Amino acid sequence: MLFFIILACMLLGWLIMMTGPLIGGIITFGIVVGCLFRGVFLISEIHKQIVKDEREGDSDSDMDEGPF
């Protein structure tokens, strides 16, 4: 599977190089920004899951006692 991913990346890089600087730059920019947004989305989902798990772990009696 890894071999096919490497092969696909090599093919994509070759296609980007063949399209020229303007179109290749636009495609590359789209790929990079898409990866960044996807990463932020995944981090947000992980944070929501962690916060939800922490809230489920707390009992109501702990919440009524207060910090002191």
Side-chain angles (χ1 to χ4, degrees), residues 10-65:
M10 287 173 51
L11 180 63
L12 181 64
W14 180 75
L15 287 173
I16 288 173
M17 295 297 266
M18 291 293 125
T19 58
L22 180 63
I23 295 174
I26 292 171
I27 293 171
T28 305
F29 180 76
I31 291 170
V32 169
V33 171
C35 288
L36 289 174
F37 277 124
R38 179 68 178 165
V40 168
F41 175 75
L42 289 174
I43 290 173
S44 174
E45 290 296 314
I46 291 169
H47 180 262
K48 287 178 188 176
Q49 187 69 31
I50 290 172
V51 169
K52 186 180 87 169
D53 290 344
E54 286 179 357
R55 287 185 183 157
E56 289 176 355
D58 292 339
S59 64
D60 292 339
S61 62
D62 292 341
M63 298 290 272
D64 294 336
E65 291 176 5

